[in-house]
Amino acid sequence: MSEQQQKKKAGVFDIRFVIGGLLGAYGIILILLGLFNATEEELARGDGLNINLWGGIGMLVVAIAFAAWARLRPVVVPADPT
């Protein structure tokens, strides 16, 4: 077999996909809370800034960065460790 055929990628088992997925899920939850559940009391605590919305957007951006990083620079696992 050629050297290229013996190498496999970690795929979805790459820890960057797991971290990106969790950050993305939490980010979407925070975005939804910021859009549909922002009360005047919560906005006053954040000095008029919708913290849930901006925090969720930040988490979603980081999740996309993790997914892009894992996709562009995959971990290569040797097929036969011996």
Side-chain angles (χ1 to χ4, degrees):
M1 267 193 248
S2 72
E3 184 177 325
Q4 188 72 331
Q5 290 175 341
Q6 292 179 354
K7 293 182 180 179
K8 293 184 180 183
K9 297 177 185 173
V12 295
F13 297 110
D14 190 345
I15 191 69
R16 295 172 291 183
F17 276 121
V18 175
I19 293 170
L22 287 172
L23 284 173
Y26 292 144
I28 289 171
I29 290 169
L30 283 177
I31 288 172
L32 292 175
L33 283 173
L35 289 175
F36 299 114
N37 198 26
T39 62
E40 291 300 322
E41 179 185 334
E42 289 177 358
L43 292 176
R45 276 191 273 163
D47 286 335
L49 185 65
N50 193 341
I51 300 295
N52 285 338
L53 180 64
W54 287 105
I57 290 171
M59 288 179 123
L60 202 56
V61 167
V62 172
I64 292 169
F66 265 90
W69 177 27
R71 183 65 119 175
L72 294 173
R73 305 246 336 182
V75 174
V76 177
V77 180
D80 188 16
T82 59

